[in-house]
Structure formats: structure tokens, C-alpha cells
Amino acid sequence: MRARNAARKAWGVVGLRRLLARSEAPYRVELGSGHIRREGWVATDVWSHARYHMDATRPWPFPHGSVSHVYGDNMIEHVPLEGARALFRHAFRALRPGGRIRLVTPDARKCGEIYLRGGDQAAALAAAHRGAGTRMEHDVDLLRALLIEYEHDRGYAWDFESLSSELVAAGFEAIERCALEQSEDPVLRGLESRVLPIDRVAMLAIEAQRP
């Protein structure tokens, strides 16, 4: 199985290199998209079955300044902090001046507020997690879902302050919180198709720009 997965990843790497060889910049790069294909976007993933394999924490094959947009929906929370910092640096190099990055991730602050408040919203969010197959017996399980479930224990939990701080450290500017599916940039509107309706209350969408 390992050999088969390694072969699939290698084929995905080759596929991405071939795409770049026969196409022209600027590129729109989607991170952690799995099997989803979006018109006008290069859908990359570390998943062995991904058509275009790319570990975004390692140097990107995209030439510097060749990317206009980067988008990641519910993927950055699966990456450890040091890996996320590397990802932000690679994204910054790949983006052209004025290029934008948009990330969507569970908002640790919102999740904490929902847990502390309890009530109908907490119950509805717990029900959504149950529907995804996650054990939910008490309100505190909402915090466990954020920090441990869905392989989140391998990554890092974010809120607006921490994520914006790391983006600024990587060189980005014009950091802003956005409503889901909304953006001043038309290219980045209407992208959150993977976010379930009830999950929207606990999500953070953030955009930043390369100077």
C-alpha cells in the first residue's frame, strides 16, 4: 500500500509539472482540495489520489510571482505551526504583487464562545458534529472537536489574531476578516462549498495581500 501511495503521489507531482510546462501564468492555486476540481483553479493536495500533488509546506513548483490567488478551505488547521509558517512564506513568494490569499478554518475564539454560551447554538453545532460521525455527549466535546477530532491534533488551532499575525510576519498586508462566500475580489467569492450550513457559525475566513 505504501509503495502504491508513493507511486500515486509521484504521478501527481509529474502531473503538476506537466501542467505548468504547458500553461501560462498567472495561476490560481487551491490548497487541500482533494478531488474537487474548480474551473480556473489548479487544485493541489498532499492526498495520494490528488491529480496534482503538492506539499504546500515545501517549496512550491510555481515560479515566483506567477500566482494571482491562493485559496485553502479547512486545510490550514491540519498543518503544524512551523509548517503553516513555511506555507505562508512559499505562498508569498509564489504570489505576484497584489496577489491575494484566502484561508477558511475553524475559528477557535468563536468555538470557545459557543461552548461557553451553550444553549441552542451549541446544541446545533454538536448535532452537526454527530452527523459527521463524531462523538458528542457534552458541550465540552465541542472543544475536543476543534482541538483533537478530524486529525486536528496534528495541526494548529487558529483565530483571527493568530492567523493575521502570522500572515503579517510572512510579509502580507491588508489583512481582513470576510464573511463566508463574500470578498471584494470577485475571484474569491462563492468558494466555500465544502462548509456545512451549521459549521458556518464557527468558521473564520481571512484574506491578505502581497504588497
Side-chain angles (χ1 to χ4, degrees), residues 105-140:
T105 185
D107 187 330
R109 187 175 298 277
K110 285 185 179 179
C111 290
E113 289 171 352
I114 291 171
Y115 161 68
L116 291 172
R117 208 163 40 237
D120 293 342
Q121 197 171 54
L125 189 56
H129 284 298
R130 285 192 203 96
T134 301
R135 186 174 183 176
M136 287 277 145
E137 296 189 10
H138 307 284
D139 282 354
V140 71

Side-chain angles (χ1 to χ4, degrees), residues 170-187:
F172 288 97
E173 63 179 19
I175 314 294
E176 60 179 317
R177 185 196 299 266
C178 303
L180 293 181
E181 299 188 276
Q182 301 300 313
S183 173
E184 293 185 2
D185 188 330
V187 173

Side-chain angles (χ1 to χ4, degrees), residues 54-66:
M54 185 178 80
D55 181 348
T57 67
R58 297 179 179 274
W60 293 15
F62 296 88
H64 292 187
S66 67

